[in-house]
Amino acid sequence: MSNITVAESAGFCFGVDRAVQMVYNELEKGTKVATLGPIIHNQDVVNDMSERGARIVESVDELEPDETVVIRSHGVGREIYEQIRTKGNRMLDATCPFVSKIHKIVDRKTKEGCFILIAGDASHPEVQGIVGHCDENCLVFKDNFELKDFFQNREKNFKKTLAFVAQTTYNILVWEKCLKEIPENAPDIVIFDTICNATDARQTDARELAQRSDIMLVVGGRHSSNTVKLYEVCSRYCKTYHIENSEELRTLKLPSAENIGITAGASTPAYIIKEVQTKMAEIEKEMIQEEENFEELLDQSFKKIHTGEKVKGTVVAVNNTEAIVDLGTKHTGYVALDDLTDDASKKPEDIVSVGDEIELVVIKVNDAEGTAALSKRKVDEQAGYETIVKAKEEGTILEGVIQHVVNKGVTLNVLGVRVFIPASQTGLPRGAELEQLLKKKVEFMIIEVTEGRKRAVGSIRAVQNARKEEAKAKFWETAAVGDTFTGKIKSLTSFGAFVDLGGIDGMVHISELSWKRLKHPSEVVSVGDTLEVYIKELDKESNRISLGYKKAEDNPWEIFMNNYQVGDVVKATIVSTTSFGAFAQIIDGVDGLIHISQIADRKVENVKDVLSEGDEVDVKIIDIDADAKRISISIRALLEDNADDAE
Ligand code: SF4
């Protein structure tokens, strides 16, 4: 940032401030004010006064009777005072006391018969006012050259004493040069240095500030003599700009500068100086920002991109075959469909949209054409590969759809990485058709990664095993005697059936499969049958589970006891014979004994003479031993009953 310095003496001088205040005081009192010419050379102040009711008149003739006329700080000639007195208007004399002093000097010296030489601008109102006190006995000279001319051309018989005065705002340096043109110790010359101290101080300050500044801003009206002189002073030392207010700063093409000085003419209000200072700081800030932005843009536009480099870009257009990307460089980036995705079923618009900010890899740069071929797929593959590596390390279960059946396995694509699942890892039985997995969503784990080729080997079986282990752990954690399960019979042996309880196998002993006596489990169940079983015994240490299958309500003895009693006559089937009698099945699972003495109403020597296996006979239940679960049945008792009935 630049240093912006405002000259200490910049702005309203004593005389101008006094005149301005006089007008404002009158306006506040409600006086109808007319100023004889603009009160100061500052349009903003003049406009403000005008809005408050002050009127500018160029001559006394224009005055209205009730108007108070204000003589401005520049002062006026004797004639003007006379005109006002004649017209009768109230008058406020705001002539600066320093100017009034000049009037008095020239009045007196004129009366004394001197010729008045006035250093100044003949067209300036102050100078015209001074002239108005000289009875046309004067000469206005602009600078030392005109003064030199005067002395060279002075007629020999010109005998009057010369009295020198200067416009209050006269350039001091020029005044000094003028003094050098005046013959030294000439008895007929008197010099009055009437340059105002305020002007002197302002010009000195301005000069010193200009000497240490790179540019100077001189603020004041275009017609302000002292402002113009300040401009001239400063211009000798650095680039100087004359402005009337802060708005003009925008129209200037200011160069960048380390030190900026600001000074202002005697008729420039403090608030305008402040505005200029503030605006300058703002403009400077904007310039710095613009420079920085420009440099940034320039950097970007010349930024090189290289093949293999990872870049960021914003999608600016998407068509059927590619996406166009703004990389913030001079290159036009494009991503062909193949480089957007390896999924042939997708279009560019399925992958990216206008406005998306995406990461890309540069695959080819053509500086001559200003194009860059880019790949999103490679970035995705890299990210996918990193995810795959992490998944292997952490044993994460991934999901994917089987895409191809290849030699000795299947493949799928996850996050842009090709994963091969060997047939042995598919979870299918050996020799099974792998095609059955095509287009199927599967869960798998990564068991191997090939870094260089960014390939991976997966396993569905590993997931299945993991799930089993998980289920097993959960089973052993929660299982309790009495828990019921529905499971499929996995295999049969001579001593029982093995049931899959969901990752855990339990055995139903042959004696538990039926209430009947079985020779082999296959008599009642087959592999694949679904059984409802319950945990009968649990050995968590040896991981053994005994399952129960028979239900109490199916117990044949219970059924018998609930439905039969001593004295009932039933049909029974001979199931075996012995020397002491024959066993006959009353209901499924319940046999009764027909003792040899009860087979007939006569003596039987040999059971087999009367009964054979499979014979169906009517019998009477003659005794039930509930504790020993023994039933005695009799054909003879039934025969005797029938005989009694016949009698
Ligand atoms: Fe008065 Fe000096 Fe201001 Fe002029 S510059 S008005 S002489 S104070």
Side-chain angles (χ1 to χ4, degrees):
M1 285 287 285
S2 305
N3 301 311
I4 301 176
T5 310
V6 179
E8 263 183 45
S9 54
F12 275 7
C13 64
F14 154 74
V16 169
D17 193 39
R18 175 171 167 269
V20 169
Q21 286 310 321
M22 281 171 85
V23 174
Y24 277 121
N25 287 344
E26 287 302 310
L27 288 171
E28 271 180 28
K29 283 190 245 169
T31 310
K32 273 186 82 176
V33 174
T35 60
L36 200 53
I39 194 75
I40 58 170
H41 292 303
N42 185 285
Q43 201 53 46
D44 291 301
V45 177
V46 169
N47 289 345
D48 185 56
M49 285 180 175
S50 170
E51 280 169 20
R52 292 169 192 242
R55 197 166 75 89
I56 299 172
V57 293
E58 295 303 328
S59 70
V60 176
D61 292 342
E62 295 173 34
L63 286 172
E64 290 173 8
D66 56 346
E67 279 181 327
T68 296
V69 62
V70 180
I71 309 276
R72 54 188 173 172
S73 59
H74 299 133
V76 290
R78 280 197 296 267
E79 190 188 352
I80 302 295
Y81 288 108
E82 200 51 48
Q83 287 173 6
I84 295 170
R85 262 192 293 276
T86 306
K87 189 135 183 151
N89 286 74
R90 179 174 172 249
M91 182 186 75
L92 280 176
D93 191 353
T95 305
C96 174
F98 299 125
V99 177
S100 296
K101 185 179 156 195
I102 301 174
H103 291 174
K104 282 175 191 155
I105 290 171
V106 298
D107 272 339
R108 194 178 72 240
K109 287 296 166 189
T110 302
K111 278 181 192 148
E112 289 172 3
C114 295
F115 185 76
I116 313 297
L117 283 164
I118 307 165
D121 175 0
S123 64
H124 191 274
E126 181 193 323
V127 175
Q128 288 172 350
I130 296 168
V131 169
H133 287 266
C134 296
D135 295 340
E136 298 180 355
N137 182 43
C138 63
L139 174 78
V140 179
F141 62 95
K142 189 171 73 180
D143 52 24
N144 49 312
F145 299 108
E146 285 190 8
L147 181 61
K148 192 175 181 181
D149 283 349
F150 168 78
F151 280 117
Q152 281 176 353
N153 298 321
R154 185 163 67 151
E155 289 171 13
K156 287 212 167 79
N157 54 2
F158 189 90
K159 299 292 180 195
K160 284 186 177 180
T161 300
L162 300 177
F164 277 86
V165 293
Q167 188 181 341
T168 53
T169 52
Y170 197 69
N171 187 322
I172 297 161
L173 296 176
V174 181
W175 175 246
E176 282 167 0
K177 283 181 187 170
C178 291
L179 293 180
K180 285 179 185 162
E181 296 298 331
I182 299 172
E184 279 183 31
N185 303 321
D188 57 347
I189 294 176
V190 283
I191 300 167
F192 297 92
D193 183 353
T194 52
I195 295 175
C196 170
N197 276 346
T199 305
D200 186 8
R202 188 177 296 106
Q203 288 182 7
T204 305
D205 279 354
R207 185 170 55 247
E208 286 174 5
L209 186 56
Q211 283 170 342
R212 58 177 200 271
S213 298
D214 301 306
I215 60 173
M216 279 295 292
L217 301 172
V218 179
V219 191
R222 295 259 183 269
H223 304 295
S224 163
S225 158
N226 73 88
T227 307
V228 172
K229 286 194 180 75
L230 285 175
Y231 171 79
E232 287 168 0
V233 167
C234 296
S235 298
R236 291 190 199 124
Y237 303 101
C238 66
K239 181 76 180 162
T240 303
Y241 300 87
H242 181 175
I243 56 171
E244 289 202 328
N245 51 46
S246 62
E247 291 307 311
E248 288 183 21
L249 279 174
R250 291 277 178 204
T251 63
L252 301 176
K253 286 186 179 166
L254 294 171
S256 58
E258 200 174 318
N259 295 301
I260 299 171
I262 299 175
T263 187
S267 46
T268 307
Y271 78 88
I272 290 185
I273 300 170
K274 189 70 195 165
E275 278 177 5
V276 169
Q277 187 182 7
T278 308
K279 182 79 77 180
M280 190 60 229
E282 280 173 16
I283 289 173
E284 233 226 325
K285 205 169 167 189
E286 287 166 17
M287 281 166 64
I288 290 170
Q289 187 66 51
E290 273 173 23
E291 272 175 29
E292 284 174 359
N293 291 348
F294 179 72
E295 278 171 21
E296 204 175 304
L297 288 171
L298 204 63
D299 278 357
Q300 281 178 0
S301 67
F302 287 106
K303 202 170 113 189
K304 290 258 179 206
I305 51 174
H306 306 281
T307 302
E309 188 182 344
K310 214 182 226 185
V311 292
K312 269 191 182 166
T314 305
V315 178
V316 292
V318 181
N319 59 39
N320 284 339
T321 56
E322 62 190 7
I324 308 298
V325 177
D326 177 8
L327 297 173
T329 68
K330 64 177 181 176
H331 301 91
T332 300
Y334 64 90
V335 193
L337 179 57
D338 283 355
D339 282 302
L340 280 170
T341 177
D342 60 356
D343 187 342
S345 68
K346 294 203 167 157
K347 294 180 191 163
E349 66 197 41
D350 299 330
I351 314 296
V352 290
S353 303
V354 171
D356 286 357
E357 196 176 319
I358 51 176
E359 270 201 315
L360 302 148
V361 165
V362 180
I363 51 178
K364 191 178 174 189
V365 181
N366 188 331
D367 281 326
E369 287 181 8
T371 58
L374 309 159
S375 175
K376 177 178 184 299
R377 184 171 53 84
K378 282 185 187 289
V379 174
D380 293 344
E381 278 176 6
Q382 181 60 34
Y385 176 71
E386 283 162 14
T387 306
I388 292 281
V389 170
K390 200 170 170 206
K392 177 181 177 286
E393 287 167 3
E394 296 177 357
T396 311
I397 294 173
L398 303 172
E399 273 190 358
V401 175
I402 302 293
Q403 291 178 325
H404 304 287
V405 173
V406 294
N407 188 22
K408 295 183 181 171
V410 294
T411 64
L412 46 73
N413 197 305
V414 178
L415 304 170
V417 180
R418 183 177 178 270
V419 179
F420 170 66
I421 299 177
S424 61
Q425 296 296 327
T426 57
L428 295 177
R430 186 188 290 264
E433 291 284 332
L434 297 177
E435 277 74 9
Q436 62 184 293
L437 288 175
L438 266 178
K439 310 295 175 205
K440 291 252 172 68
K441 194 179 201 179
V442 294
E443 287 186 318
F444 62 96
M445 291 167 86
I446 301 298
I447 55 174
E448 194 180 319
V449 285
T450 317
E451 264 191 48
R453 298 175 65 200
K454 293 200 168 40
R455 299 273 166 89
V457 179
S459 170
I460 298 170
R461 202 177 72 184
V463 176
Q464 293 169 342
N465 290 342
R467 293 257 190 263
K468 273 185 198 163
E469 289 306 314
E470 208 177 294
K472 271 186 193 172
K474 194 174 174 193
F475 177 88
W476 288 113
E477 204 178 294
T478 58
V481 171
D483 287 353
T484 56
F485 296 89
T486 300
K488 279 196 174 172
I489 295 176
K490 281 177 70 179
S491 61
L492 297 177
T493 66
S494 57
F495 49 87
F498 286 90
V499 179
D500 179 8
L501 304 177
I504 304 283
D505 290 346
M507 191 190 75
V508 185
H509 191 264
I510 188 168
S511 61
E512 275 293 325
L513 283 171
S514 173
W515 289 99
K516 289 191 296 184
R517 197 180 296 272
L518 300 177
K519 286 184 183 151
H520 194 273
S522 58
E523 289 174 43
V524 288
V525 291
S526 305
V527 171
D529 284 356
T530 301
L531 296 189
E532 279 198 22
V533 294
Y534 64 93
I535 297 177
K536 208 173 161 193
E537 284 172 27
L538 197 61
D539 184 347
K540 289 191 178 180
E541 282 184 11
S542 60
N543 289 354
R544 280 199 188 150
I545 309 159
S546 294
L547 300 172
Y549 175 62
K550 292 189 299 188
K551 295 191 184 89
E553 60 265 31
D554 296 332
N555 187 338
W557 179 255
E558 295 297 325
I559 294 169
F560 174 81
M561 290 297 283
N562 288 335
N563 294 288
Y564 299 93
Q565 57 188 336
V566 173
D568 285 354
V569 176
V570 296
K571 275 201 188 305
T573 304
I574 305 300
V575 291
S576 62
T577 56
T578 66
S579 58
F580 55 86
F583 287 97
Q585 181 182 287
I586 303 167
I587 60 170
D588 206 10
V590 178
D591 297 343
L593 172 65
I594 311 171
H595 191 265
I596 192 166
S597 62
Q598 297 295 321
I599 290 176
D601 51 359
R602 54 187 167 80
K603 187 171 182 195
V604 174
E605 293 296 334
N606 190 346
V607 175
K608 286 187 178 175
D609 291 344
V610 183
L611 297 172
S612 303
E613 285 181 22
D615 288 352
E616 195 174 70
V617 291
D618 288 330
V619 295
K620 183 178 180 180
I621 299 170
I622 56 172
D623 185 44
I624 299 172
D625 182 345
D627 294 336
K629 292 185 180 162
R630 282 187 191 151
I631 305 162
S632 297
I633 50 179
S634 170
I635 298 171
R636 180 179 157 185
L638 190 60
L639 291 172
E640 286 173 356
D641 286 349
N642 288 343
D644 288 346
D645 288 345
E647 278 178 21

